[in-house]
Amino acid sequence: NAGVTQTPKFQVLKTGQSMTLQCAQDMNHEYMSWYRQDPGMGLRLIHYSVGAGITDQGEVPNGYNVSRSTTEDFPLRLLSAAPSQTSVYFCASSFSSGTGAPNEQFFGPGTRLTVL
Amino acid sequence: AQSVTQPDIHITVSEGASLELRCNYSYGATPYLFWYVQSPGQGLQLLLKYFSGDTLVQGIKGFEAEFKRSQSSFNLRKPSVHWSDAAEYFCAFTGGGNKLTFGTGTQLKVEL
């Protein structure tokens, strides 16, 4: 049971380049999400998904796209990277909860992205 | 606006001393509250959570937290800190569902 895995661990991009951050989980969790972590700002929600084929925006979605074609995978795409997207990105997953009591979220180890 | 505040950016304690990390929330009802820990270069690990009932909750690694509705607080405590507790600690909440709002974090340094 690998839990939540993220690749790559580190990435350097030039402004304008595109890339996809990969996230996978093997716990059959319906809910998956992406956060970015910046110094002094904690974690902020980018996008989330409550199941395959269903995604929605979080607090800071601009500049990022997501899709959810399978339960296991939830990739995050940067179409045209900007220096403001330099950050550490975390993927998380949990069982779905609807609007009731939340379930524990399990976090991946993170991807450290630098945009020059 | 719904938010969670961690007033202390950095805290330094001596090994063996007690610890209290502060967390205050702003929400119109009783929120679901969490404390997470992030060790250097690692993801986040859940320490404990409060949903309802007993306002003093126990977590892993000897941590506990107390929910105080009158003060809108959910402070994290540990009676005796170990050097391995050095990490960043995040308070988080949700009004329902899995979308979490995180505080800005408190960096804990432990002096030997």
Side-chain angles (χ1 to χ4, degrees):
Chain A
N1 194 340
V4 180
T5 58
Q6 292 184 237
T7 56
K9 291 187 177 181
F10 302 93
Q11 183 70 50
V12 179
L13 292 178
K14 294 180 180 179
T15 297
Q17 287 185 315
S18 63
M19 80 159 297
T20 299
L21 280 63
Q22 301 292 344
C23 174
Q25 52 90 12
D26 60 0
M27 297 173 281
N28 204 31
H29 286 163
E30 303 94 347
Y31 184 90
M32 296 185 74
S33 57
W34 278 101
Y35 293 87
R36 61 177 289 173
Q37 182 182 23
D38 302 293
M41 302 191 74
L43 279 78
R44 293 179 292 168
L45 183 64
I46 304 171
H47 284 286
Y48 65 99
S49 169
V50 298
I54 306 170
T55 64
D56 205 347
Q57 297 180 352
E59 180 186 355
V60 288
N62 292 341
Y64 307 95
N65 283 348
V66 292
S67 60
R68 183 97 177 269
S69 57
T70 68
T71 299
E72 294 78 19
D73 301 297
F74 191 42
L76 179 72
R77 297 183 184 84
L78 285 71
L79 298 180
S80 179
S84 61
Q85 294 178 303
T86 294
S87 187
V88 181
Y89 292 86
F90 289 99
C91 180
S93 75
S94 70
F95 289 111
S96 186
S97 71
T99 58
N103 288 297
E104 178 180 354
Q105 294 198 38
F106 295 84
F107 284 80
T111 295
R112 185 174 294 275
L113 175 67
T114 301
V115 183
L116 302 176
Chain B
Q2 303 170 12
S3 64
V4 59
T5 302
Q6 294 180 247
D8 305 304
I9 299 174
H10 299 279
I11 283 185
T12 299
V13 299
S14 298
E15 188 174 37
S18 64
L19 171 70
E20 183 169 27
L21 302 182
R22 295 184 291 166
C23 173
N24 295 98
Y25 67 89
S26 174
Y27 185 65
T30 300
Y32 300 98
L33 293 158
F34 304 83
W35 275 100
Y36 284 86
V37 61
Q38 183 183 30
S39 298
Q42 303 296 314
L44 277 71
Q45 181 183 22
L46 180 65
L47 283 176
L48 48 77
K49 61 188 179 185
Y50 172 78
F51 285 5
S52 64
D54 193 347
T55 57
L56 184 64
V57 294
Q58 302 297 321
I60 62 172
K61 305 185 180 187
F63 285 92
E64 65 179 26
E66 185 171 12
F67 171 66
K68 292 186 177 180
R69 186 190 308 275
S70 61
Q71 300 178 18
S72 298
S73 68
F74 187 55
N75 293 349
L76 182 71
R77 302 194 294 246
K78 188 170 185 179
S80 178
V81 170
H82 188 263
W83 64 266
S84 61
D85 293 323
E88 190 159 19
Y89 292 80
F90 292 95
C91 183
F93 91 102
T94 174
N98 288 331
K99 291 172 60 178
L100 297 181
T101 297
F102 283 86
T104 52
T106 297
Q107 188 73 44
L108 174 65
K109 179 181 177 181
V110 180
E111 291 183 332
L112 300 176

